[in-house]
mmCIF file of all heavy atoms in Angstrom:
data_model
loop_
_atom_site.group_PDB
_atom_site.id
_atom_site.type_symbol
_atom_site.label_atom_id
_atom_site.label_comp_id
_atom_site.label_asym_id
_atom_site.label_seq_id
_atom_site.Cartn_x
_atom_site.Cartn_y
_atom_site.Cartn_z
ATOM 1 N N SER M 143 0.833 -1.207 0.000
ATOM 2 C CA SER M 143 0.000 0.000 0.000
ATOM 3 C C SER M 143 0.862 1.250 0.000
ATOM 4 O O SER M 143 2.033 1.214 0.368
ATOM 5 C CB SER M 143 -0.936 0.011 1.213
ATOM 6 O OG SER M 143 -0.204 0.179 2.411
ATOM 7 N N SER M 144 0.254 2.332 -0.433
ATOM 8 C CA SER M 144 0.906 3.641 -0.412
ATOM 9 C C SER M 144 -0.179 4.707 -0.313
ATOM 10 O O SER M 144 -1.330 4.471 -0.696
ATOM 11 C CB SER M 144 1.757 3.843 -1.661
ATOM 12 O OG SER M 144 0.951 3.773 -2.816
ATOM 13 N N TRP M 145 0.200 5.856 0.191
ATOM 14 C CA TRP M 145 -0.748 6.950 0.307
ATOM 15 C C TRP M 145 -0.822 7.728 -1.002
ATOM 16 O O TRP M 145 0.170 7.899 -1.695
ATOM 17 C CB TRP M 145 -0.342 7.893 1.441
ATOM 18 C CG TRP M 145 -0.581 7.293 2.784
ATOM 19 C CD1 TRP M 145 0.342 6.711 3.598
ATOM 20 C CD2 TRP M 145 -1.830 7.183 3.451
ATOM 21 N NE1 TRP M 145 -0.256 6.246 4.739
ATOM 22 C CE2 TRP M 145 -1.592 6.522 4.685
ATOM 23 C CE3 TRP M 145 -3.132 7.551 3.147
ATOM 24 C CZ2 TRP M 145 -2.599 6.247 5.594
ATOM 25 C CZ3 TRP M 145 -4.145 7.287 4.060
ATOM 26 C CH2 TRP M 145 -3.876 6.647 5.265
ATOM 27 N N GLY M 146 -2.029 8.170 -1.304
ATOM 28 C CA GLY M 146 -2.244 8.977 -2.497
ATOM 29 C C GLY M 146 -3.474 9.845 -2.309
ATOM 30 O O GLY M 146 -4.058 9.891 -1.220
ATOM 31 N N GLU M 147 -3.879 10.494 -3.373
ATOM 32 C CA GLU M 147 -5.049 11.364 -3.332
ATOM 33 C C GLU M 147 -6.182 10.723 -4.123
ATOM 34 O O GLU M 147 -5.989 10.275 -5.251
ATOM 35 C CB GLU M 147 -4.693 12.726 -3.932
ATOM 36 C CG GLU M 147 -5.760 13.769 -3.715
ATOM 37 C CD GLU M 147 -5.296 15.136 -4.186
ATOM 38 O OE1 GLU M 147 -4.461 15.744 -3.508
ATOM 39 O OE2 GLU M 147 -5.790 15.572 -5.246
ATOM 40 N N SER M 148 -7.367 10.660 -3.510
ATOM 41 C CA SER M 148 -8.525 10.056 -4.173
ATOM 42 C C SER M 148 -9.127 11.031 -5.174
ATOM 43 O O SER M 148 -8.711 12.193 -5.259
ATOM 44 C CB SER M 148 -9.576 9.649 -3.140
ATOM 45 O OG SER M 148 -10.160 10.800 -2.563
ATOM 46 N N GLU M 149 -10.127 10.551 -5.906
ATOM 47 C CA GLU M 149 -10.777 11.384 -6.919
ATOM 48 C C GLU M 149 -11.461 12.608 -6.326
ATOM 49 O O GLU M 149 -11.647 13.610 -7.005
ATOM 50 C CB GLU M 149 -11.767 10.567 -7.765
ATOM 51 C CG GLU M 149 -12.806 9.802 -6.994
ATOM 52 C CD GLU M 149 -12.332 8.450 -6.463
ATOM 53 O OE1 GLU M 149 -11.209 8.027 -6.757
ATOM 54 O OE2 GLU M 149 -13.101 7.834 -5.719
ATOM 55 N N ASN M 150 -11.797 12.559 -5.029
ATOM 56 C CA ASN M 150 -12.417 13.738 -4.397
ATOM 57 C C ASN M 150 -11.385 14.535 -3.576
ATOM 58 O O ASN M 150 -11.739 15.255 -2.664
ATOM 59 C CB ASN M 150 -13.621 13.342 -3.546
ATOM 60 C CG ASN M 150 -13.265 12.400 -2.431
ATOM 61 O OD1 ASN M 150 -12.108 12.055 -2.250
ATOM 62 N ND2 ASN M 150 -14.263 11.982 -1.675
ATOM 63 N N ARG M 151 -10.116 14.351 -3.938
ATOM 64 C CA ARG M 151 -8.995 15.104 -3.373
ATOM 65 C C ARG M 151 -8.764 14.852 -1.877
ATOM 66 O O ARG M 151 -8.263 15.709 -1.168
ATOM 67 C CB ARG M 151 -9.137 16.596 -3.634
ATOM 68 C CG ARG M 151 -9.153 16.940 -5.105
ATOM 69 C CD ARG M 151 -9.092 18.440 -5.296
ATOM 70 N NE ARG M 151 -9.156 18.781 -6.701
ATOM 71 C CZ ARG M 151 -8.104 18.919 -7.477
ATOM 72 N NH1 ARG M 151 -6.906 18.733 -6.999
ATOM 73 N NH2 ARG M 151 -8.236 19.241 -8.742
ATOM 74 N N ARG M 152 -9.144 13.679 -1.427
ATOM 75 C CA ARG M 152 -8.871 13.287 -0.043
ATOM 76 C C ARG M 152 -7.701 12.325 -0.027
ATOM 77 O O ARG M 152 -7.486 11.575 -0.977
ATOM 78 C CB ARG M 152 -10.087 12.619 0.575
ATOM 79 C CG ARG M 152 -11.231 13.572 0.756
ATOM 80 C CD ARG M 152 -12.325 12.875 1.475
ATOM 81 N NE ARG M 152 -12.950 13.838 2.362
ATOM 82 C CZ ARG M 152 -13.846 13.529 3.248
ATOM 83 N NH1 ARG M 152 -14.237 12.291 3.397
ATOM 84 N NH2 ARG M 152 -14.373 14.447 4.018
ATOM 85 N N ARG M 153 -7.003 12.327 1.067
ATOM 86 C CA ARG M 153 -5.888 11.395 1.244
ATOM 87 C C ARG M 153 -6.463 9.990 1.402
ATOM 88 O O ARG M 153 -7.399 9.773 2.175
ATOM 89 C CB ARG M 153 -5.109 11.803 2.486
ATOM 90 C CG ARG M 153 -3.825 11.078 2.656
ATOM 91 C CD ARG M 153 -3.089 11.663 3.843
ATOM 92 N NE ARG M 153 -2.360 10.616 4.495
ATOM 93 C CZ ARG M 153 -1.070 10.649 4.704
ATOM 94 N NH1 ARG M 153 -0.377 11.695 4.344
ATOM 95 N NH2 ARG M 153 -0.461 9.652 5.297
ATOM 96 N N ALA M 154 -5.928 9.049 0.653
ATOM 97 C CA ALA M 154 -6.433 7.673 0.683
ATOM 98 C C ALA M 154 -5.265 6.697 0.555
ATOM 99 O O ALA M 154 -4.256 7.006 -0.077
ATOM 100 C CB ALA M 154 -7.432 7.443 -0.453
ATOM 101 N N ARG M 155 -5.449 5.544 1.143
ATOM 102 C CA ARG M 155 -4.438 4.486 1.044
ATOM 103 C C ARG M 155 -4.792 3.616 -0.162
ATOM 104 O O ARG M 155 -5.915 3.132 -0.276
ATOM 105 C CB ARG M 155 -4.412 3.669 2.323
ATOM 106 C CG ARG M 155 -3.234 2.761 2.391
ATOM 107 C CD ARG M 155 -2.993 2.303 3.842
ATOM 108 N NE ARG M 155 -1.620 1.919 3.969
ATOM 109 C CZ ARG M 155 -0.667 2.638 4.525
ATOM 110 N NH1 ARG M 155 -0.967 3.796 5.056
ATOM 111 N NH2 ARG M 155 0.563 2.211 4.574
ATOM 112 N N TYR M 156 -3.837 3.447 -1.060
ATOM 113 C CA TYR M 156 -4.026 2.653 -2.273
ATOM 114 C C TYR M 156 -3.328 1.307 -2.115
ATOM 115 O O TYR M 156 -2.219 1.232 -1.582
ATOM 116 C CB TYR M 156 -3.478 3.396 -3.493
ATOM 117 C CG TYR M 156 -4.407 4.487 -3.948
ATOM 118 C CD1 TYR M 156 -4.425 5.720 -3.315
ATOM 119 C CD2 TYR M 156 -5.293 4.267 -4.993
ATOM 120 C CE1 TYR M 156 -5.292 6.724 -3.719
ATOM 121 C CE2 TYR M 156 -6.164 5.260 -5.414
ATOM 122 C CZ TYR M 156 -6.159 6.479 -4.769
ATOM 123 O OH TYR M 156 -7.028 7.460 -5.180
ATOM 124 N N TYR M 157 -3.994 0.255 -2.609
ATOM 125 C CA TYR M 157 -3.494 -1.116 -2.466
ATOM 126 C C TYR M 157 -3.238 -1.716 -3.839
ATOM 127 O O TYR M 157 -3.957 -1.442 -4.792
ATOM 128 C CB TYR M 157 -4.524 -1.969 -1.720
ATOM 129 C CG TYR M 157 -4.766 -1.478 -0.325
ATOM 130 C CD1 TYR M 157 -5.749 -0.527 -0.073
ATOM 131 C CD2 TYR M 157 -3.998 -1.936 0.737
ATOM 132 C CE1 TYR M 157 -5.958 -0.049 1.214
ATOM 133 C CE2 TYR M 157 -4.204 -1.465 2.024
ATOM 134 C CZ TYR M 157 -5.182 -0.524 2.255
ATOM 135 O OH TYR M 157 -5.392 -0.051 3.529
ATOM 136 N N GLN M 158 -2.202 -2.566 -3.901
ATOM 137 C CA GLN M 158 -1.923 -3.299 -5.130
ATOM 138 C C GLN M 158 -1.380 -4.678 -4.773
ATOM 139 O O GLN M 158 -0.818 -4.885 -3.693
ATOM 140 C CB GLN M 158 -0.964 -2.547 -6.031
ATOM 141 C CG GLN M 158 0.440 -2.415 -5.475
ATOM 142 C CD GLN M 158 1.310 -1.588 -6.402
ATOM 143 O OE1 GLN M 158 1.319 -0.372 -6.307
ATOM 144 N NE2 GLN M 158 2.053 -2.242 -7.266
ATOM 145 N N LEU M 159 -1.570 -5.622 -5.682
ATOM 146 C CA LEU M 159 -1.072 -6.979 -5.488
ATOM 147 C C LEU M 159 0.442 -7.014 -5.589
ATOM 148 O O LEU M 159 1.026 -6.316 -6.423
ATOM 149 C CB LEU M 159 -1.616 -7.914 -6.571
ATOM 150 C CG LEU M 159 -3.029 -8.423 -6.455
ATOM 151 C CD1 LEU M 159 -3.349 -9.328 -7.639
ATOM 152 C CD2 LEU M 159 -3.247 -9.160 -5.157
ATOM 153 N N THR M 160 1.054 -7.841 -4.773
ATOM 154 C CA THR M 160 2.472 -8.143 -4.914
ATOM 155 C C THR M 160 2.583 -9.412 -5.763
ATOM 156 O O THR M 160 1.566 -10.048 -6.070
ATOM 157 C CB THR M 160 3.113 -8.400 -3.544
ATOM 158 O OG1 THR M 160 2.481 -9.543 -2.958
ATOM 159 C CG2 THR M 160 2.993 -7.190 -2.627
ATOM 160 N N ALA M 161 3.798 -9.793 -6.117
ATOM 161 C CA ALA M 161 3.995 -11.052 -6.858
ATOM 162 C C ALA M 161 3.495 -12.223 -6.029
ATOM 163 O O ALA M 161 2.861 -13.147 -6.545
ATOM 164 C CB ALA M 161 5.468 -11.228 -7.218
ATOM 165 N N SER M 162 3.723 -12.164 -4.732
ATOM 166 C CA SER M 162 3.241 -13.210 -3.828
ATOM 167 C C SER M 162 1.706 -13.242 -3.811
ATOM 168 O O SER M 162 1.084 -14.308 -3.783
ATOM 169 C CB SER M 162 3.787 -12.967 -2.418
ATOM 170 O OG SER M 162 3.308 -13.922 -1.521
ATOM 171 N N GLY M 163 1.098 -12.072 -3.830
ATOM 172 C CA GLY M 163 -0.362 -11.979 -3.871
ATOM 173 C C GLY M 163 -0.931 -12.532 -5.161
ATOM 174 O O GLY M 163 -1.984 -13.165 -5.171
ATOM 175 N N GLN M 164 -0.216 -12.306 -6.242
ATOM 176 C CA GLN M 164 -0.630 -12.833 -7.545
ATOM 177 C C GLN M 164 -0.623 -14.360 -7.523
ATOM 178 O O GLN M 164 -1.543 -15.003 -8.009
ATOM 179 C CB GLN M 164 0.309 -12.291 -8.632
ATOM 180 C CG GLN M 164 -0.130 -12.573 -10.022
ATOM 181 C CD GLN M 164 -1.275 -11.684 -10.461
ATOM 182 O OE1 GLN M 164 -1.996 -11.116 -9.668
ATOM 183 N NE2 GLN M 164 -1.470 -11.571 -11.735
ATOM 184 N N ARG M 165 0.442 -14.929 -6.957
ATOM 185 C CA ARG M 165 0.526 -16.399 -6.848
ATOM 186 C C ARG M 165 -0.572 -16.932 -5.942
ATOM 187 O O ARG M 165 -1.196 -17.952 -6.242
ATOM 188 C CB ARG M 165 1.905 -16.818 -6.331
ATOM 189 C CG ARG M 165 3.017 -16.626 -7.344
ATOM 190 C CD ARG M 165 4.329 -17.240 -6.885
ATOM 191 N NE ARG M 165 4.842 -16.662 -5.653
ATOM 192 C CZ ARG M 165 5.606 -15.577 -5.585
ATOM 193 N NH1 ARG M 165 5.941 -14.935 -6.699
ATOM 194 N NH2 ARG M 165 6.035 -15.129 -4.430
ATOM 195 N N ARG M 166 -0.830 -16.226 -4.847
ATOM 196 C CA ARG M 166 -1.897 -16.649 -3.928
ATOM 197 C C ARG M 166 -3.249 -16.609 -4.631
ATOM 198 O O ARG M 166 -4.075 -17.510 -4.465
ATOM 199 C CB ARG M 166 -1.902 -15.753 -2.690
ATOM 200 C CG ARG M 166 -2.899 -16.137 -1.651
ATOM 201 C CD ARG M 166 -2.578 -17.501 -1.092
ATOM 202 N NE ARG M 166 -3.552 -17.868 -0.087
ATOM 203 C CZ ARG M 166 -3.381 -18.855 0.748
ATOM 204 N NH1 ARG M 166 -2.293 -19.580 0.706
ATOM 205 N NH2 ARG M 166 -4.307 -19.134 1.627
ATOM 206 N N LEU M 167 -3.499 -15.577 -5.413
ATOM 207 C CA LEU M 167 -4.743 -15.462 -6.164
ATOM 208 C C LEU M 167 -4.908 -16.650 -7.103
ATOM 209 O O LEU M 167 -5.992 -17.239 -7.181
ATOM 210 C CB LEU M 167 -4.778 -14.151 -6.947
ATOM 211 C CG LEU M 167 -5.953 -13.960 -7.908
ATOM 212 C CD1 LEU M 167 -7.292 -14.027 -7.173
ATOM 213 C CD2 LEU M 167 -5.805 -12.647 -8.662
ATOM 214 N N GLN M 168 -3.855 -17.026 -7.797
ATOM 215 C CA GLN M 168 -3.924 -18.180 -8.708
ATOM 216 C C GLN M 168 -4.284 -19.452 -7.954
ATOM 217 O O GLN M 168 -5.157 -20.211 -8.379
ATOM 218 C CB GLN M 168 -2.593 -18.379 -9.424
ATOM 219 C CG GLN M 168 -2.426 -17.547 -10.654
ATOM 220 C CD GLN M 168 -1.145 -17.943 -11.369
ATOM 221 O OE1 GLN M 168 -0.050 -17.878 -10.800
ATOM 222 N NE2 GLN M 168 -1.278 -18.342 -12.614
ATOM 223 N N ARG M 169 -3.586 -19.709 -6.847
ATOM 224 C CA ARG M 169 -3.850 -20.921 -6.059
ATOM 225 C C ARG M 169 -5.266 -20.940 -5.516
ATOM 226 O O ARG M 169 -5.961 -21.957 -5.600
ATOM 227 C CB ARG M 169 -2.848 -21.049 -4.909
ATOM 228 C CG ARG M 169 -1.476 -21.502 -5.346
ATOM 229 C CD ARG M 169 -0.603 -21.906 -4.170
ATOM 230 N NE ARG M 169 -0.437 -20.866 -3.175
ATOM 231 C CZ ARG M 169 0.527 -19.946 -3.171
ATOM 232 N NH1 ARG M 169 1.428 -19.935 -4.124
ATOM 233 N NH2 ARG M 169 0.601 -19.050 -2.215
ATOM 234 N N GLU M 170 -5.704 -19.829 -4.940
ATOM 235 C CA GLU M 170 -7.048 -19.753 -4.362
ATOM 236 C C GLU M 170 -8.130 -19.885 -5.431
ATOM 237 O O GLU M 170 -9.162 -20.505 -5.200
ATOM 238 C CB GLU M 170 -7.231 -18.439 -3.592
ATOM 239 C CG GLU M 170 -6.439 -18.369 -2.309
ATOM 240 C CD GLU M 170 -6.919 -19.368 -1.276
ATOM 241 O OE1 GLU M 170 -8.141 -19.542 -1.113
ATOM 242 O OE2 GLU M 170 -6.068 -19.982 -0.623
ATOM 243 N N THR M 171 -7.893 -19.297 -6.590
ATOM 244 C CA THR M 171 -8.861 -19.394 -7.692
ATOM 245 C C THR M 171 -9.048 -20.847 -8.105
ATOM 246 O O THR M 171 -10.186 -21.316 -8.262
ATOM 247 C CB THR M 171 -8.409 -18.537 -8.889
ATOM 248 O OG1 THR M 171 -8.347 -17.170 -8.474
ATOM 249 C CG2 THR M 171 -9.366 -18.669 -10.055
ATOM 250 N N GLU M 172 -7.959 -21.560 -8.271
ATOM 251 C CA GLU M 172 -8.045 -22.975 -8.652
ATOM 252 C C GLU M 172 -8.765 -23.797 -7.589
ATOM 253 O O GLU M 172 -9.593 -24.649 -7.904
ATOM 254 C CB GLU M 172 -6.654 -23.553 -8.929
ATOM 255 C CG GLU M 172 -6.017 -23.005 -10.191
ATOM 256 C CD GLU M 172 -6.910 -23.167 -11.418
ATOM 257 O OE1 GLU M 172 -7.455 -24.273 -11.633
ATOM 258 O OE2 GLU M 172 -7.066 -22.187 -12.161
ATOM 259 N N GLU M 173 -8.466 -23.530 -6.332
ATOM 260 C CA GLU M 173 -9.127 -24.258 -5.231
ATOM 261 C C GLU M 173 -10.626 -23.976 -5.206
ATOM 262 O O GLU M 173 -11.435 -24.884 -5.055
ATOM 263 C CB GLU M 173 -8.475 -23.887 -3.899
ATOM 264 C CG GLU M 173 -9.052 -24.606 -2.712
ATOM 265 C CD GLU M 173 -8.804 -26.116 -2.718
ATOM 266 O OE1 GLU M 173 -7.948 -26.601 -3.473
ATOM 267 O OE2 GLU M 173 -9.498 -26.814 -1.964
ATOM 268 N N TRP M 174 -11.016 -22.704 -5.357
ATOM 269 C CA TRP M 174 -12.441 -22.358 -5.342
ATOM 270 C C TRP M 174 -13.174 -22.934 -6.550
ATOM 271 O O TRP M 174 -14.335 -23.318 -6.446
ATOM 272 C CB TRP M 174 -12.637 -20.849 -5.238
ATOM 273 C CG TRP M 174 -12.611 -20.414 -3.803
ATOM 274 C CD1 TRP M 174 -11.575 -19.855 -3.132
ATOM 275 C CD2 TRP M 174 -13.670 -20.553 -2.857
ATOM 276 N NE1 TRP M 174 -11.921 -19.634 -1.830
ATOM 277 C CE2 TRP M 174 -13.199 -20.046 -1.636
ATOM 278 C CE3 TRP M 174 -14.964 -21.051 -2.928
ATOM 279 C CZ2 TRP M 174 -13.983 -20.017 -0.482
ATOM 280 C CZ3 TRP M 174 -15.748 -21.028 -1.779
ATOM 281 C CH2 TRP M 174 -15.257 -20.522 -0.576
ATOM 282 N N LYS M 175 -12.517 -22.998 -7.695
ATOM 283 C CA LYS M 175 -13.144 -23.620 -8.864
ATOM 284 C C LYS M 175 -13.425 -25.095 -8.593
ATOM 285 O O LYS M 175 -14.485 -25.612 -8.947
ATOM 286 C CB LYS M 175 -12.255 -23.464 -10.105
ATOM 287 C CG LYS M 175 -12.261 -22.078 -10.689
ATOM 288 C CD LYS M 175 -11.358 -22.007 -11.902
ATOM 289 C CE LYS M 175 -11.353 -20.623 -12.505
ATOM 290 N NZ LYS M 175 -10.452 -20.534 -13.674
ATOM 291 N N ARG M 176 -12.461 -25.766 -7.946
ATOM 292 C CA ARG M 176 -12.623 -27.175 -7.606
ATOM 293 C C ARG M 176 -13.777 -27.355 -6.617
ATOM 294 O O ARG M 176 -14.626 -28.233 -6.785
ATOM 295 C CB ARG M 176 -11.314 -27.715 -7.011
ATOM 296 C CG ARG M 176 -11.264 -29.211 -6.849
ATOM 297 C CD ARG M 176 -9.941 -29.671 -6.251
ATOM 298 N NE ARG M 176 -9.731 -29.240 -4.882
ATOM 299 C CZ ARG M 176 -10.388 -29.718 -3.822
ATOM 300 N NH1 ARG M 176 -11.293 -30.640 -3.973
ATOM 301 N NH2 ARG M 176 -10.129 -29.273 -2.614
ATOM 302 N N ILE M 177 -13.851 -26.490 -5.602
ATOM 303 C CA ILE M 177 -14.919 -26.554 -4.601
ATOM 304 C C ILE M 177 -16.272 -26.272 -5.247
ATOM 305 O O ILE M 177 -17.253 -26.973 -4.990
ATOM 306 C CB ILE M 177 -14.641 -25.564 -3.454
ATOM 307 C CG1 ILE M 177 -13.433 -26.041 -2.638
ATOM 308 C CG2 ILE M 177 -15.868 -25.382 -2.572
ATOM 309 C CD1 ILE M 177 -12.889 -25.002 -1.676
ATOM 310 N N ALA M 178 -16.337 -25.248 -6.095
ATOM 311 C CA ALA M 178 -17.598 -24.887 -6.748
ATOM 312 C C ALA M 178 -18.102 -26.019 -7.631
ATOM 313 O O ALA M 178 -19.308 -26.317 -7.649
ATOM 314 C CB ALA M 178 -17.426 -23.613 -7.561
ATOM 315 N N LEU M 179 -17.208 -26.683 -8.356
ATOM 316 C CA LEU M 179 -17.590 -27.805 -9.207
ATOM 317 C C LEU M 179 -18.124 -28.960 -8.359
ATOM 318 O O LEU M 179 -19.145 -29.561 -8.695
ATOM 319 C CB LEU M 179 -16.407 -28.259 -10.055
ATOM 320 C CG LEU M 179 -16.672 -29.404 -11.032
ATOM 321 C CD1 LEU M 179 -17.791 -29.050 -12.003
ATOM 322 C CD2 LEU M 179 -15.388 -29.746 -11.785
ATOM 323 N N ALA M 180 -17.456 -29.238 -7.244
ATOM 324 C CA ALA M 180 -17.910 -30.305 -6.363
ATOM 325 C C ALA M 180 -19.294 -29.994 -5.777
ATOM 326 O O ALA M 180 -20.169 -30.877 -5.715
ATOM 327 C CB ALA M 180 -16.900 -30.533 -5.236
ATOM 328 N N MET M 181 -19.508 -28.750 -5.393
ATOM 329 C CA MET M 181 -20.825 -28.344 -4.848
ATOM 330 C C MET M 181 -21.900 -28.426 -5.928
ATOM 331 O O MET M 181 -23.025 -28.867 -5.673
ATOM 332 C CB MET M 181 -20.758 -26.929 -4.275
ATOM 333 C CG MET M 181 -19.976 -26.849 -2.977
ATOM 334 S SD MET M 181 -20.689 -27.885 -1.668
ATOM 335 C CE MET M 181 -22.259 -27.115 -1.429
ATOM 336 N N GLN M 182 -21.547 -28.016 -7.141
ATOM 337 C CA GLN M 182 -22.495 -28.068 -8.250
ATOM 338 C C GLN M 182 -22.918 -29.522 -8.493
ATOM 339 O O GLN M 182 -24.092 -29.808 -8.672
ATOM 340 C CB GLN M 182 -21.866 -27.479 -9.500
ATOM 341 C CG GLN M 182 -22.795 -27.404 -10.676
ATOM 342 C CD GLN M 182 -22.113 -26.765 -11.880
ATOM 343 O OE1 GLN M 182 -20.881 -26.656 -11.943
ATOM 344 N NE2 GLN M 182 -22.909 -26.345 -12.842
#
C-alpha cells in the first residue's frame, strides 16, 4: 500500500497486489473452482 489522493482530493491508502499476492490469487482461484464444481 501507499498513500495517495482520491478522486475527491482526499488522502487515501491505495493497495496493489504483490507477486506473492498474484501467486496466492492463482492458487485460491483454482481451489475455489474445484470446490464450486464439487458443490455443483
Side-chain angles (χ1 to χ4, degrees):
S143 68
S144 60
W145 287 100
E147 190 174 287
S148 69
E149 54 277 355
N150 60 2
R151 299 188 182 269
R152 293 185 144 188
R153 189 175 146 124
R155 191 162 203 102
Y156 283 81
Y157 297 89
Q158 67 183 86
L159 282 180
T160 62
S162 178
Q164 189 76 339
R165 289 189 299 274
R166 183 64 180 194
L167 173 59
Q168 275 187 302
R169 284 192 303 270
E170 289 294 318
T171 298
E172 290 306 313
E173 182 66 16
W174 274 100
K175 285 180 180 179
R176 191 180 66 71
I177 291 168
L179 182 58
M181 288 300 296
Q182 184 178 17

